[in-house]
Structures are given as structure tokens and as C-alpha cells.
Amino acid sequence: MRPAARSEASPGPTVPAGQPDEPLADTRGLNWTRGPLLLVVFALVAFAVHAPSLSNRSFNSDEAYAATQAQVLNRGGRLYVDTVDRKPPVVPYLYAATFRVTGSDNLLAVRILAVVADVLTALLLAAEARRRFGRDRAGMIAGLLFLGGSAAFYATDFQTANFEVFMLPLMVAGFVLAARSRPLASGAAIGLATLTKQTAATTLFPAAWLVWREAHRGSARPAGRLARLGLGFVAPIALAAVAFGAHDFLTWVFTGNGGYLDVGGTLGFTFHHGLTQTLWFVLANLALVGLAVLAGRWWRRDLDLWLWAGAAVVAVATGFRFFGHYYLQLLPPLSLLATGPLVRASWRALTAVAVVVAVPVAFFVEKSFATGPSHTDIVAADLAAYARSTVAPNGRILVWGHLPEVYWRSGRLPATRFATTEFLTGQSGGRPPSLSGMQYAAPEAWADFDADLRAHPPALVFDLAPANIRNARYEAIPRFPRFSAYLARHYRVVAHVDGVVAYAPR
């Protein structure tokens, strides 16, 4: 017997007719599609596909940067004063709290929290899919599609405890609450997500559309509901501004990112990089993307999801950096869109989709396990060991270049508020490495750098340029006479470690 058609108020698409209605539940009484059993399924899958991350191995410098900031915070430093980055405060403090609770600066505990965040995101998507499509199996399908996509890319992007992973549960909660006519709570969730990664703010667009639509359907006043959404969004951000100091907080999180967003003179490089990254993401998530395209036949009823996906595309393209982990923000709306065509699909169709999802996941997971430490990883470990052997635990060091892993692994704090020289030289990922020079520095960065060096001169300086670690040859110290003169006056060469030059005070 075919179930009754859903009411017009339901935002989901009309499911395809004429397909077998086979529930994803155990016929002997156990329902694996909701409740504690669904949590078990999602947890097992999440930890399985993210098994390569369950170690202390550093997959990218973002984790090392956040870990370095956490070490500064745990030793009494202040965010946006003693340690800075163009990032909101949630993740550095999450790292710091985890290190403090575990009594170790090991990344494993943070990575476990990242997997838990993925499970929470999957559960929220499952709840929304059940509401939208009216079937338990829809929830399991949506959650599993998301978890598969969360591991279908390079380990440096999808096996890390990065900002996007911790942003997703809050961002999805904001959308789910908006769909349930909870504008104030929705705005607060999106605001908290924005305090995790700025691009979460783009979710306000689909949330505002949902709030406006539901207000019209319920004969309520849209302006009042939209105001509550905006109030909820602004409140946590305003509290953060008060807590950290409005000037420093707004400068580092929002207003001081002009140089980071500038694409002047790099359009060709940026276009090629963005096209390559997007192509790889589509190929790795072919099932998600293909099913989402197939769901386009129900675009009117899925308009909120398409608005959400469009907002996520804007978020991925913001700054035109196209880092792989930026694409994580696309997974939640794509997972819900891809669920529509599968709600009443046959077991044969579901099996085929599962294979298409599993193959790239298996490829990237195996590749993550098979890839050993890179030359950069080895150099970072050797430099950290040298720093531990020559600098007292309370001493400070300076790494000229981009290798925050040295600070984190050595346990020696940076001598300046900058854990890399990106803010001084302008060289950063997603841009040609040759785009380096004092003219690209962040505003006031050199003044802050000089002040920090006077406050606590480094007991050891590492110059990565001779070894060209992460394109450091473009940041050769002679190109920056301000620092070159300081180094010549106060320091002398004491060692060469893996081609890196080490300086100590005269």
C-alpha cells in the first residue's frame, strides 16, 4: 500500500513513484535507522573512514598553527594579542581546552573530537532528512552520504581537525532550526558557527528564506521573525567582541582580511588552482554530485537546499584560495539533495550508490595510511628536537618561514605573536609563492613584530630559506632588510639542521 502524499507544507521533493518501498531496518525488530542504533552506525562508519587521523601525525600546518596558539593560551597568552591569526576564537580555545584536560599536546584527542563533530553533523542531517522525506531510511541515507563524503579527499584536508569540521555541526543546526521555525535559536547557532569559521555566515541566506517562508505560511510577521534571526546571529559575535576587545577581534576576524582576499595579479594562477581543486572534489564525490543534479527535477520544493548549496559555493570561493577543506561546507546540502532520489530506491540501486561512494573513500583512506612522513615533516621533527636540546622549556624561538610544526613539537613558544611569517611577507597558500615582499605584509605587522622581538628576543632563530621548506626561498632574509639588520646585529650562525640555518644570540 502506497503511503499518503505529503502535505504541500513539506519542503522536500515528491519521491519518485513506482519504486520498491524497502525500509533499512532489521525485520526482526531492531530499527537501525533511528535512535541509539543509528548513532552506533554513524560512529562506527565515522571512525572507520577517519582511522588515518587517529594519531599524533600532523597532516597540515593549520593544525600545527592552532596547536601552537593553544600552547600560548595555556601559558597565559591572550588571543589576538600574544598570538594571532585570521581565524575566529572557537578552534584555538577548543585545542587549548583539550590539551589542558588531557595533560598532553598530542593531536589524537582533538582528532577524536573532530570525528565526534562529524557524527553530530550526520545525526542532524538524518533528523532533517526524516522530517523532509517522511521516512526513517532517509535519515540513514543522508548521514551515510555525508560521512562518506567527509573522507573522500586528501588527508591533508579531510583527515584533519580543522576549522570546517567543527563548524559543520553548528552550521547544520542553524539550518535545521530555521526549518523548524526557531529563528532566534537558528541565528545563535549560525553565529556560533561563524565564530568557528567566518564562511558559516553564508548559511544566513537559506535560513532567512526559510524563516520568511514559514512566517508567510503561518500568517506571522516576517520582519519580526527575520529580526529574531539577526539578533540570534549577532549576539554571540558581539559577546566575543566584548570578551576579546572589539578592535583586535574585529581586525583579525573580519576587517583585516583585505590582503588575504586580494587576487590582484593572480587571476590566472587562481583560476587554474580553483578549477583543479573543484574537479578533484567532483570526481571524489561523484555520487553526491550526480544525485544532487538528479534531484534538480524537484528544485521548487528543494529551493531551500539549493539556496544552501549556492551559499556554500560562495563560501568555498571566498578569497579564491580553494583549499580542499573549504569544500567540506558543500557536503551537508549536497547530502540532503542526494537523499531525495534514494528515498524509495531499490536495494540494487542503493548498493550501486554505496559502491560509488566507497571506492574513492577507500582510495583516499588507503593513500593516507600508505603515505609516510614527508621531507617537510622530517625537517620539522629534527628542528624541534634541536630546539628542545638547546633552548630551555620557558625559552622562545623564531622560525623564519612557514613551519609552525616546530613550535608545537618542541613546546617552545614563538618569540612573536606570529606563528609563521605569512603576515610579514605576504606569502601564503593559494597564491603564487613568488608573491612575497614587505609590500604584501598585513597592516602594522612589522611594528608588532619589532615590538615582540624587543619584549622577548628569541633564544634560537631558524631560517628555512636555504632549505626552501614550503617555498621559503622566496622569503630569503636579505630581501627583508629590516629583519636582516636585526639578525646581523644580535645573532650568529651556530648550526645547520637539514639545510636550515640556526642562529643563536651573540
Side-chain angles (χ1 to χ4, degrees), residues 245-478:
H247 178 268
D248 292 333
F249 171 77
L250 293 175
T251 297
W252 283 106
V253 178
F254 296 110
T255 62
N257 290 329
Y260 183 83
L261 302 177
D262 183 25
V263 294
T266 67
L267 286 178
F269 177 92
T270 301
F271 177 79
H272 179 266
H273 179 62
L275 184 63
T276 302
Q277 288 287 85
T278 302
L279 179 60
W280 274 112
F281 173 80
V282 170
L283 291 175
N285 293 274
L286 199 56
L288 272 177
V289 175
L291 287 166
V293 171
L294 186 61
R297 69 180 73 177
W298 304 296
W299 69 268
R300 286 186 175 85
R301 292 204 177 194
D302 275 345
L303 185 56
D304 54 340
L305 294 182
W306 286 109
L307 286 173
W308 193 10
V313 169
V314 172
V316 170
T318 298
F320 298 98
R321 301 276 171 163
F322 298 104
F323 293 126
H325 48 88
Y326 285 11
Y327 291 81
L328 283 167
Q329 194 163 343
L330 280 166
L331 293 181
L334 286 180
S335 298
L336 288 174
L337 285 168
T339 299
L342 298 178
V343 171
R344 299 182 66 186
S346 66
W347 280 102
R348 181 176 298 176
L350 290 173
T351 301
V353 170
V355 170
V356 176
V357 171
V359 168
V361 172
F363 170 80
F364 285 108
V365 169
E366 191 278 334
K367 188 177 180 65
S368 302
F369 276 122
T371 304
S374 67
H375 174 66
T376 300
D377 297 331
I378 295 170
V379 172
D382 290 344
L383 295 180
Y386 183 83
R388 286 194 303 271
S389 67
T390 57
V391 178
N394 61 346
R396 292 175 179 260
I397 64 175
L398 172 64
V399 178
W400 183 263
H402 191 102
L403 201 59
E405 291 89 336
V406 178
Y407 297 119
W408 161 58
R409 289 193 178 279
S410 68
R412 275 49 177 176
L413 298 187
T416 76
R417 67 196 69 192
F418 309 109
T420 74
T421 54
E422 169 189 345
F423 302 102
L424 303 167
T425 68
Q427 185 185 126
S428 60
R431 293 290 185 269
S434 57
L435 204 69
S436 177
M438 291 185 68
Q439 68 272 28
Y440 302 111
E444 305 301 323
W446 276 97
D448 292 337
F449 182 69
D450 292 342
D452 291 343
L453 290 179
R454 289 193 299 269
H456 24 70
L460 188 66
V461 176
F462 288 123
D463 178 15
L464 305 182
N468 196 30
I469 303 300
R470 290 184 178 147
N471 297 306
R473 65 188 177 93
Y474 295 102
E475 299 177 296
I477 290 177

Side-chain angles (χ1 to χ4, degrees), residues 68-87:
T68 299
Q69 287 192 295
Q71 291 172 330
V72 175
L73 295 175
N74 282 339
R75 298 191 195 181
R78 297 162 296 170
L79 191 61
Y80 308 123
V81 177
D82 301 303
T83 179
V84 299
D85 195 9
R86 295 187 180 99
K87 299 291 194 305

